[in-house]
Amino acid sequence: MCSHSRPAGARTPRTGRPRSAQADAAILEATRAALVERGWPGLTMGDVASRAGVAKTTLYRRWPGKSELVVDAVAALFDELELPESDSLATDIEGVVLQFAALLERPEARTALMAVVAESTRDEALRRRIRTSIVDRQKRLVLLGRERAQARGELPREPDTATAARTADLIFDVIAGAVVHRALVSAEPVDRQWARAFTALLLGGLSAVGASP
């Protein structure tokens, strides 16, 4: 038997079909729609595939199960959040808070987020995926906002990277936790007045609450 060697510099042929961004978007949209209509117990990979117009095997090539699929469906919505172009930290915070609140008003975002968080209380692997796919990714807003504020002289620079990381975590937890609790738990409006008062509290501490207009 004689063997034929591949010419030098030749690329190894790729196997399988490349991922389609359009198909992924359709699948994630179908997942959110199915959650709104059927809830977590009624959501199935087959139903999502049918809604998205793809084969069920296409879903399983991308996501091993519905937990991972729903997390990515939520993460795609959160990726729409952007830090506004402004000249102050206060305006940055208010802008993100109002964007986040508007996102949570959308039935597909609210239902998907609450479903996946509830399910994660029984699934440690799902909880880790939420952290990496949603929480860690959205900390980009905190990091960018802090970087801009430090460049403007509004915030001091941390003495080391460990302190900087802890501060970023705390800022994210305070903002995300307050907005989620206000919008989804208390079911109270997150309007501009509330966002302004919350920002004053965050930046100035409790003494700012009584002084804020």
Side-chain angles (χ1 to χ4, degrees):
M1 268 179 91
C2 62
S3 61
H4 299 281
S5 60
R6 184 176 288 109
R11 295 182 179 179
T12 302
R14 295 179 62 181
T15 58
R17 296 180 179 179
R19 289 188 66 151
S20 164
Q22 186 176 3
D24 282 0
I27 291 167
L28 297 179
E29 183 177 355
T31 301
R32 295 187 292 265
L35 267 174
V36 171
E37 292 181 21
R38 297 175 177 268
W40 182 276
L43 178 71
T44 65
M45 299 291 271
D47 181 39
V48 171
S50 177
R51 290 169 183 261
V54 300
K56 190 158 64 171
T57 53
T58 301
L59 262 69
Y60 282 109
R61 279 200 298 268
R62 291 160 164 77
W63 295 278
K66 76 175 186 179
S67 295
E68 295 83 2
L69 176 59
V70 173
V71 170
D72 284 3
V74 175
L77 290 178
F78 277 52
D79 284 343
E80 296 176 11
L81 299 175
E82 294 182 351
L83 196 68
E85 292 290 341
S86 74
D87 57 0
S88 75
L89 179 58
T91 305
D92 286 349
I93 295 172
E94 287 179 29
V96 169
V97 165
L98 292 173
Q99 280 185 66
F100 187 24
L103 177 63
L104 294 179
E105 287 180 359
R106 293 161 56 178
E108 69 273 23
R110 182 171 61 248
T111 303
L113 178 62
M114 294 184 76
V116 78
V117 168
E119 189 65 21
S120 73
T121 61
R122 301 184 289 271
D123 188 336
E124 177 58 31
L126 177 58
R127 194 153 52 240
R128 288 195 300 269
R129 190 175 180 94
I130 291 172
R131 282 199 299 267
T132 57
S133 298
I134 299 176
V135 175
D136 291 345
R137 267 186 11 208
Q138 295 314 312
K139 283 179 185 174
R140 63 188 171 82
L141 299 171
V142 171
L143 299 176
L144 179 56
R146 181 178 61 179
E147 181 183 336
R148 291 180 181 177
Q150 289 173 338
R152 291 190 297 256
E154 294 178 286
L155 289 178
R157 296 190 180 276
E158 289 82 358
D160 53 68
T161 55
T163 302
R166 286 195 300 270
T167 302
D169 287 349
L170 181 59
I171 294 170
F172 181 89
D173 290 344
V174 169
I175 295 175
V179 176
V180 168
H181 188 279
R182 175 82 176 175
L184 301 186
V185 180
S186 298
E188 295 287 346
V190 180
D191 53 21
R192 190 167 295 278
Q193 182 180 0
W194 186 90
R196 187 170 294 121
F198 170 74
T199 300
L201 173 62
L202 182 63
L203 295 181
L206 289 174
S207 60
V209 176
S212 61

